[in-house]
Amino acid sequence: MLTDYHVHLRPDGENTPAAEYFTEANAERYRETAADRGIQELGVAEHIYRFTAALDVWQHPLWVENAHDDIDRYCEFVRERTDLKLGIEADFIPGKDDRMRSLLEARDWDYVVGSIHFLAEGALDYDRFDVWNSARSADHVWKTYFTWLGELAASGLFDIMAHPDLVKHWGKERPWPDKDLRFYYDLAMEQIAESGIAIELSTAGLRKPVGEIYPDRAFLEMVVDAGNPIALSSDAHTPEQLGFEYEQAMELLSDVGVTEIAVFENRSVTLEPIGPS
Ligand SMILES: [Zn+2]
Ligand SMILES: [Zn+2]
């Protein structure tokens, strides 16, 4: 079994209206490319901030600019006009978890992917609103990020932890901590272990300035020791990006002793042996 669950039906940004991308023809393009690459379990996880309902949770300027679509029409489209699994990529925003919970629990997802893209107003993977403009030290930014990551796991809002060390997105283009990175991972690890949340192995980092898989091998070893399931995704925003560099991902998983991946349906998880169909 190979999965790609953290998949977007359109690129980020302006000029990607739902009417153009939430179509049977577009879903079919994704399905065909996935089949060519041996990926039989395919699901979508649109960014929650592209839906107007997200503004009930948070009003970050980026969300206000991007919230145009109706979340229930998205769910209806995926369920009724495609054979894809239905997911969503939702942000963990401390202090807003009650509102996020109401939004998420009102819909019948196959899985919810939980992300941290912002530390307060500062963005981790976007040069507008860049968190690094705050002049905080790398130590402070990394500590905050991994503390929140533990809270994300403990919140129980999410089935899959997305791109677990996204804080490294810019690589050496931004300040980098001096400490052994396991110091930061440890800040989240107890809550991750207790929650049982599936941890995403995302090849998207290979397309980003850092040029590495998310998460780092040491982080992966820690969650494997803790017994968390592993979910495999590319964070594709186009059909061409599906299953990107999965050979590298499978090699890494095999190196750390992972032989099974997480498969989701109606928010419950089963484990299946890894490999292309
Ligand atoms: Zn993301
Ligand atoms: Zn994503």
Side-chain angles (χ1 to χ4, degrees):
M1 171 70 75
L2 285 181
T3 62
D4 207 341
Y5 281 143
H6 183 160
V7 167
H8 302 268
L9 286 167
R10 51 184 172 174
D12 294 336
E14 297 299 305
N15 306 317
T16 54
E20 214 171 290
Y21 289 88
F22 297 172
T23 66
E24 288 170 51
N26 192 36
E28 196 48 37
R29 274 195 288 277
Y30 278 76
R31 179 55 88 184
E32 280 169 12
T33 308
D36 286 347
R37 298 178 185 176
I39 300 163
Q40 58 278 64
E41 261 292 291
L42 187 62
V44 286
E46 284 302 300
H47 282 294
I48 203 157
Y49 68 77
R50 306 218 45 184
F51 301 105
T52 52
L55 299 180
D56 295 340
V57 180
W58 203 36
Q59 293 90 34
H60 189 283
L62 180 80
W63 287 33
V64 173
E65 278 172 26
N66 280 275
H68 301 303
D69 303 326
D70 184 309
I71 197 166
D72 293 309
R73 286 181 64 182
Y74 160 65
C75 296
E76 203 179 286
F77 162 71
V78 175
R79 285 288 186 219
E80 291 174 16
R81 291 171 53 205
T82 79
D83 60 356
L84 307 174
K85 289 279 171 77
L86 174 61
I88 185 119
E89 180 175 13
D91 292 66
F92 174 68
I93 302 155
K96 307 285 188 183
D97 9 345
D98 283 349
R99 285 174 177 229
M100 187 62 92
R101 192 178 307 275
S102 316
L103 200 170
L104 294 173
E105 285 183 354
R107 278 106 196 156
D108 68 331
W109 315 107
D110 286 309
Y111 53 85
V112 175
V113 179
S115 302
I116 297 176
H117 298 112
F118 295 93
L119 296 182
E121 301 292 309
L124 290 159
D125 61 344
Y126 190 39
D127 49 10
R128 285 175 65 208
F129 315 108
D130 192 343
V131 69
W132 297 104
N133 290 341
S134 68
R136 299 277 196 176
S137 67
D139 185 63
H140 179 88
V141 169
W142 281 59
K143 263 188 201 155
T144 308
Y145 178 82
F146 284 99
T147 303
W148 288 18
L149 200 70
E151 292 171 17
L152 178 158
S155 74
L157 287 169
F158 313 103
D159 305 300
I160 301 173
M161 173 181 283
H163 38 62
D165 55 353
L166 186 76
V167 66
K168 74 180 178 187
H169 170 92
W170 294 105
K172 299 294 162 70
E173 294 178 20
R174 297 289 188 279
W176 193 265
D178 298 325
K179 292 192 179 87
D180 185 317
L181 299 181
R182 279 169 285 208
F183 167 84
Y184 303 100
Y185 307 158
D186 264 331
L187 299 171
M189 217 38 77
E190 201 174 305
Q191 285 159 303
I192 288 175
E194 273 170 20
S195 71
I197 191 170
I199 305 301
E200 177 179 270
L201 187 122
S202 171
T203 55
L206 294 166
R207 299 187 267 115
K208 302 298 162 65
V210 68
E212 290 175 8
I213 285 176
Y214 300 120
D216 175 50
R217 181 182 178 125
F219 186 101
L220 189 61
E221 286 169 344
M222 290 163 93
V223 296
V224 169
D225 275 352
N228 292 74
I230 305 297
L232 177 62
S233 292
S234 66
D235 206 346
H237 285 67
T238 63
E240 294 67 39
Q241 291 172 344
L242 287 170
F244 178 72
E245 291 290 345
Y246 267 19
E247 300 75 14
Q248 266 196 64
M250 284 189 283
E251 202 179 306
L252 174 59
L253 288 172
S254 148
D255 282 357
V256 300
V258 175
T259 57
E260 294 180 310
I261 46 170
V263 172
F264 286 90
E265 187 160 10
N266 296 325
R267 306 203 67 177
S268 64
V269 61
T270 51
L271 293 174
E272 301 272 351
I274 300 180
S277 62

